[in-house]
């Protein structure tokens, strides 16, 4: 380096040291610490919860792994408890739901009148025509029977008094579905063998011809004729009359009605020192078993990879660099202090380099340290054997590349937002545009992918972020680059892109004119 270049480097470093204090402790930077530390707090809270749960389960008694593995679906709760003993945790609950009560056979309901009444006219009034909510009444047969022979010489009211008698009712759905079809003694003729009415009030009336003793009614609803049981009559009543004008209600029914169906649920948890086994018993029989490790290292490592790529790179570092770098120049213009720097005996591009170095040191310390702290919080609750296996299987390399990706994310995004701050006052629009570009980059041709900072950062990540096997293709493209670059190529590409952006920024800062009157 030439003496002139060395002197400019010292100037840039002096500017960076001055700016560092403001970057680290500016009020607008405090939320950046929250973004960086949030994953570490989540993992630490998860570890504490697992440690406490493990201790609690162990105090309540641990059993051997073979005993847990011996439990099979279909076993009774008593059998499992007899073999395994008292569970470490047990929850009991009941679930109830309203279900149809089947009081008849194939949609047929019977209504006995005690004592017997005398009537010439019988009337069926439908209040709620179906269980499905459809406003259509359907009756396939309305039968009326008298009392049994007092001398016991015949069957109990074997004669259907309403058979082929004159019938009237509401306006039928069609000419083939009139009231007479409900007293023709047949249900086998399909929908043309029923009485059907759409208009309220829904009623069906039969003239028995003369006063007759009546003791029993039989109503055959929609499902008796082969229709869906949801079309059966839900609520109705039966009335009788001597003159066809004054009616008395003798029977009321809620059709098949409802009853409460109760299901007993038992959730028993056993512990063998490393695994928890949750056994779900439904009405005393094992319905489902779920055996898994209380702490699964590979699962947590996959979760860390997902958090790092989807939250840390795409959101935390992105918006953190926006908060830090955007205001290195724009904040000074808002505070009307930028002209002091321009009056200093230093080139403006040196000023740019110094401010960029300050932002880069601060953001790298915050997010690089945050990534390492998150990884440490993920590791600490695990078994030492699992952690040692991780180090032996290249764990140190993974730690290095996670930290490197975080730092290089600050390198790339920092340069972009520093340059943007020289051109625009409002960060919302450029941030939204850049965030959208980074989001769709995975579906663009590869030449356009190389203009994305996220493309290079994802290529550096040591563990691919897990995706569900049934994730749509578009989601897979957005989540990862179609053709990741090699690590040397990713680093070189990112540095070249950063250098180009900083060059644009240096051109802008050399031409910048102070106009505080336009700043708010």
């Amino acid at each position: 380096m030439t003496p002139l270049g060395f002197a400019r480097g010292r100037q840039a470093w002096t500017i960076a040291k001055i700016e560092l204090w403001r970057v680290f402790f500016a009020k607008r930077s405090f939320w950046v610490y929250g973004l960086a530390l949030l994953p570490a707090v989540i993992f630490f809270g998860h570890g504490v919860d697992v440690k406490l749960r493990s201790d609690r389960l162990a105090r309540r008694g641990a059993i051997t792994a073979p005993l847990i593995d011996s439990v099979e679906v279909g076993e009774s709760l008593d059998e499992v408890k007899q073999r395994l003993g008292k569970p470490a945790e047990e929850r009991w609950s009941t679930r109830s739901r309203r279900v149809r009560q089947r009081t008849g056979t194939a949609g047929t309901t019977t209504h006995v009148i005690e004592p017997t009444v005398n009537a010439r006219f019988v009337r069926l009034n439908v209040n709620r025509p179906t269980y499905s909510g459809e406003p259509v009444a359907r009756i396939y047969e309305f039968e009326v029977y008298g009392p049994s022979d007092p001398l016991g010489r015949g069957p109990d009211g074997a004669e259907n008094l309403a058979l082929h008698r004159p019938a009237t009712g509401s306006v039928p759905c069609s000419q083939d579905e009139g009231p007479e079809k409900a007293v023709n003694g047949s249900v086998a003729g399909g929908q043309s063998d029923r009485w059907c009415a759409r208009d309220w009030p829904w009623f069906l009336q039969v003239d028995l011809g003369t006063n007759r003793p009546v003791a029993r009614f039989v109503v055959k609803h929609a499902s008796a004729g082969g229709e869906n049981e949801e079309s059966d009559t839900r609520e109705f009543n039966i009335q009788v009359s001597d003159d066809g004008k004054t009616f008395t209600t003798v029977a009321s029914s809620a059709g098949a009605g409802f009853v409460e169906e109760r299901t007993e649920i038992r959730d028993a948890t056993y512990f063998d020192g490393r695994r928890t086994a949750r056994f779900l018993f439904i009405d005393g029989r094992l319905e489902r078993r779920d055996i898994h490790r209380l702490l699964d290292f590979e699962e947590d490592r996959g979760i860390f990879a997902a958090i790092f790529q989807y939250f840390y790179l795409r959101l935390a570092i992105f918006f953190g660099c926006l908060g830090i770098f955007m205001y290195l120049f724009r904040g000074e213009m808002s505070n009307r202090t930028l002209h002091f720097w321009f009056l200093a005996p230093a080139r403006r591009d040196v000023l740019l380099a110094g401010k960029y170095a300050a932002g880069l040191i601060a953001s790298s310390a915050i997010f690089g340290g945050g990534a390492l702290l998150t990884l440490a919080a993920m590791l600490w609750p695990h078994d030492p054997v699992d952690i040692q296996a991780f180090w032996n299987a290249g764990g140190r390399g993974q730690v290095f590349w996670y930290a490197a990706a975080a730092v290089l994310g600050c390198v790339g995004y920092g340069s972009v937002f520093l340059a943007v701050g020289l051109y625009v006052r409002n960060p919302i629009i450029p941030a939204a545009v850049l965030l959208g570009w980074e989001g769709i980059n995975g579906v663009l041709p590869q030449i356009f992918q190389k203009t994305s900072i996220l493309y290079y950062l994802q290529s550096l990540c040591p563990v691919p972020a897990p995706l569900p096997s049934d994730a749509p293709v578009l989601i897979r493209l957005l989540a990862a680059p179609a053709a990741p670059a090699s690590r040397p190529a990713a680093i070189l590409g990112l540095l070249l892109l950063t250098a180009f952006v900083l060059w644009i920024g240096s051109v802008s800062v050399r031409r910048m004119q102070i106009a505080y009157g336009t700043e708010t």
Side-chain angles (χ1 to χ4, degrees):
M1 180 181 293
T2 64
L4 181 59
F6 182 77
R8 289 176 179 173
R10 290 188 62 182
Q11 282 185 325
W13 176 240
T14 301
I15 294 170
K17 289 191 292 184
I18 296 172
E19 287 289 292
L20 269 175
W21 178 267
R22 188 167 68 90
V23 172
F24 270 116
F25 297 104
K27 289 183 180 180
R28 66 167 54 96
S29 297
F30 288 154
W31 61 269
V32 176
Y33 292 101
L35 284 175
L37 296 176
L38 178 61
V41 172
I42 293 174
F43 270 110
F44 180 74
H46 170 67
V48 170
D49 178 68
V50 169
K51 289 282 189 181
L52 293 175
R53 178 169 169 77
S54 177
D55 291 342
R56 184 173 65 251
L57 292 173
R59 285 197 304 269
R60 295 176 180 176
I63 63 174
T64 61
L67 276 177
I68 288 180
D69 294 331
S70 69
V71 178
E72 299 291 340
V73 173
E75 289 191 67
S76 70
L77 177 62
D78 292 338
E79 291 172 342
V80 173
K81 283 187 173 183
Q82 184 176 4
R83 190 163 72 254
L84 273 63
K86 183 180 179 180
E89 292 179 346
E90 185 174 9
R91 295 180 179 88
W92 176 85
S93 63
T94 58
R95 181 179 60 209
S96 62
R97 64 189 183 105
R98 300 184 72 197
V99 298
R100 290 278 303 276
Q101 179 185 14
R102 307 300 185 218
T103 56
T105 302
T108 300
T109 57
T110 302
H111 312 273
V112 178
I113 308 302
E114 292 182 350
T116 299
V117 297
N118 290 323
R120 174 178 174 178
F121 299 92
V122 292
R123 184 184 181 100
L124 173 67
N125 297 299
V126 177
N127 302 318
R128 300 179 69 181
T130 62
Y131 285 91
S132 64
E134 185 184 8
V136 179
R138 303 172 178 88
I139 300 296
Y140 275 76
E141 280 296 308
F142 181 37
E143 301 174 354
V144 183
Y145 295 91
S148 60
D149 189 329
L151 299 179
R153 293 175 297 183
D156 183 8
E159 180 186 1
N160 177 8
L161 305 179
L163 184 63
H164 300 305
R165 298 302 306 171
T168 57
S170 306
V171 178
C173 299
S174 68
Q175 292 183 354
D176 293 334
E177 299 172 287
E180 70 281 358
K181 295 299 180 68
V183 291
N184 66 357
S186 170
V187 297
Q191 296 187 8
S192 62
D193 196 8
R194 68 180 184 181
W195 167 71
C196 171
R198 297 181 182 277
D199 298 330
W200 185 88
W202 303 282
F203 75 94
L204 177 65
Q205 182 173 311
V206 181
D207 182 359
L208 303 182
T210 184
N211 275 355
R212 306 287 297 271
V214 175
R216 180 167 53 97
F217 299 92
V218 176
V219 183
K220 296 184 178 179
H221 306 274
S223 60
E227 297 188 50
N228 191 295
E229 63 182 13
E230 292 299 310
S231 298
D232 285 345
T233 314
R234 183 164 181 171
E235 291 182 6
F236 59 94
N237 63 60
I238 300 173
Q239 297 178 319
V240 296
S241 172
D242 293 333
D243 54 11
K245 294 183 179 181
T246 303
F247 285 85
T248 301
T249 301
V250 293
S252 296
S253 175
F258 287 97
V259 294
E260 293 291 326
E261 182 182 80
R262 295 171 62 85
T263 302
E264 182 186 81
I265 302 171
R266 292 287 184 102
D267 190 346
T269 300
Y270 289 89
F271 185 57
D272 67 2
R274 302 189 70 182
R275 302 181 306 165
T276 60
R278 291 187 61 186
F279 299 131
L280 181 66
F281 294 88
I282 304 296
D283 291 332
R285 290 287 171 182
L286 182 59
E287 185 80 12
R288 185 174 69 247
R289 53 178 243 161
D290 179 18
I291 303 174
H292 64 275
R293 294 184 61 175
L294 197 60
L295 272 174
D296 190 317
F297 188 85
E298 290 303 317
E299 179 182 349
D300 283 353
R301 192 167 69 132
I303 292 173
F304 176 84
I307 290 177
F308 186 82
Q309 292 195 38
Y310 299 141
F311 173 77
Y312 227 66
L313 294 184
R314 293 172 180 266
L315 295 177
I317 294 178
F318 181 93
F319 286 104
C321 288
L322 169 65
I324 292 174
F325 288 88
M326 187 81 177
Y327 292 96
L328 288 174
F329 279 96
R330 186 55 52 185
E332 297 237 31
M333 294 188 70
S334 299
N335 296 332
R336 300 173 182 266
T337 57
L338 184 60
H339 66 283
F340 292 118
W341 283 113
F342 284 1
L343 293 174
R347 289 167 55 99
R348 291 190 178 184
D349 52 356
V350 174
L351 174 63
L352 179 80
K355 283 181 172 287
Y356 176 71
L360 181 59
I361 293 171
S363 60
S364 297
I366 293 171
F367 289 105
L372 294 176
L373 189 60
T374 302
L375 191 58
M378 186 273 288
L379 290 174
W380 80 269
H382 284 278
D383 192 287
V385 175
D386 292 331
I387 297 176
Q388 187 60 45
F390 171 69
W391 295 128
N392 294 339
R396 291 176 178 82
Q398 293 187 24
V399 172
F400 171 80
W401 284 112
Y402 276 126
V407 171
L408 289 172
C410 298
V411 170
Y413 287 126
S415 66
V416 171
F417 287 118
L418 180 67
V420 168
L422 296 169
Y423 287 95
V424 299
R425 286 180 290 173
N426 189 342
I428 296 178
I429 295 177
V433 172
L434 182 58
L435 188 63
W437 175 258
E438 296 283 75
I440 67 170
N441 190 261
V443 299
L444 297 177
Q446 189 170 358
I447 189 171
F448 291 109
Q449 291 187 20
K450 293 180 179 180
T451 63
S452 165
I453 295 169
L454 187 61
Y455 169 76
Y456 299 109
L457 297 180
Q458 287 182 310
S459 300
L460 296 174
C461 292
V463 176
L467 278 175
S469 58
D470 57 348
V473 176
L474 180 60
I475 299 299
R476 292 180 178 275
L477 291 174
L478 293 176
S486 64
R487 283 173 177 165
I491 295 173
L492 180 61
L494 183 60
L495 293 178
L496 290 175
L497 183 61
T498 300
F500 176 72
V501 173
L502 289 176
W503 175 77
I504 294 176
S506 68
V507 172
S508 174
V509 76
R510 286 197 296 268
R511 298 175 179 176
M512 179 177 286
Q513 300 294 325
I514 301 297
Y516 289 142
T518 62
E519 297 298 319
T520 57

